[in-house]
Amino acid sequence: FKGYLSKDLGMLDGMIFGFLWSAKRHGVKVPDDMLQKAEKCIQGILSGGGLSYGTGRGGGDPTGGRGGFAMLGLAFAEQTQHKLWKTYLPLFERVIPNMNKGTHVGAFHALGLTLGCRMAGQPTYSKLTKKWLDHYIDKQDAEGGFYIGDDEGSGGEKGLLYSNYGSTAAFALMILLQDENVPVPKKPEPPPKPEKKKK
């Protein structure tokens, strides 16, 4: 966001890390050194409490939102033995009560936690919906929107995006993913092999 001094590097790192693994699994030629740099960065900010806000291991991930995006890429790439995956599976359930404590753009935290709880399994996801569905339905505004997050005077989603569309989208996804028939990440098909050129 132009002119916004506070940047959640842990959130960005998680998104980029997940994207690189997804791209590689799709057959995109991701340079090894690029993936190694992303891995080194993730390991540098990952602790038992999840991905930190900035460049060190301090603080962890109070909402669990930073890990959800990284886990999407790891799930698709079948990298479920990764340290980040193993760290976040038990973490999601513990941080469910903190979903509304995501600062700056709380929608990212709510979206990441929703996706992560879905990947963690139905029991964890049911705890998420039991905690938050009725709470936010009661707070629905006249236009059907919701606002999730704790901005602490930093402007937040409304100050940066001038709306609550991000929070509303995150909450809508939470509602949709209640359906157990909605697919969860499964073993993907291998990428197509390049055709050999005819001589």
Side-chain angles (χ1 to χ4, degrees):
F1 302 107
K2 190 175 181 181
Y4 191 60
L5 299 178
S6 182
K7 296 176 177 63
D8 190 335
L9 298 178
M11 184 73 78
L12 292 171
D13 291 337
M15 289 177 175
I16 293 168
F17 182 72
F19 171 78
L20 289 175
W21 272 112
S22 294
K24 184 172 182 176
R25 189 64 185 84
H26 272 295
V28 176
K29 292 183 179 179
V30 178
D32 289 341
D33 64 333
M34 182 182 292
L35 202 53
Q36 288 169 5
K37 286 178 182 177
E39 179 70 39
K40 183 178 179 181
C41 177
I42 287 294
Q43 294 298 339
I45 61 174
L46 180 65
S47 69
L51 296 174
S52 72
Y53 175 84
T55 56
R57 286 192 173 90
D61 187 356
T63 67
R66 296 184 194 119
F69 300 104
M71 285 186 69
L72 275 178
L74 290 174
F76 185 72
E78 298 183 84
Q79 296 293 319
T80 55
Q81 296 304 307
H82 193 280
K83 181 180 178 182
L84 185 143
W85 181 278
K86 292 183 175 182
T87 298
Y88 269 89
L89 277 186
L91 179 64
F92 286 129
E93 188 170 329
R94 297 200 305 269
V95 298
I96 285 172
N98 299 337
M99 186 185 77
N100 64 338
K101 296 179 182 177
T103 57
H104 309 309
V105 181
F108 288 152
H109 295 265
L111 179 58
L113 180 61
T114 296
L115 294 170
C117 286
R118 180 71 170 130
M119 284 185 282
Q122 194 61 41
T124 302
Y125 196 77
S126 294
K127 289 177 181 177
L128 175 74
T129 55
K130 183 178 180 181
K131 171 68 179 175
W132 292 113
L133 275 183
D134 288 344
H135 173 84
Y136 278 109
I137 286 174
D138 288 343
K139 293 183 178 295
Q140 190 172 14
D141 63 28
E143 296 180 348
F146 308 88
Y147 188 66
I148 303 171
D150 178 8
D151 297 331
E152 298 180 348
S154 63
E157 185 178 346
K158 288 180 180 177
L160 294 168
L161 306 181
Y162 310 108
S163 72
N164 62 357
Y165 297 157
S167 290
T168 301
F171 189 71
L173 183 66
M174 187 189 299
I175 294 171
L176 291 171
L177 290 182
Q178 287 181 103
D179 184 353
E180 293 188 36
N181 294 317
V182 174
V184 294
K186 294 181 180 178
K187 185 175 181 179
E189 295 293 326
K193 294 181 180 179
E195 293 183 7
K196 294 181 179 179
K197 293 182 180 180
K198 295 180 180 180
K199 293 182 180 179

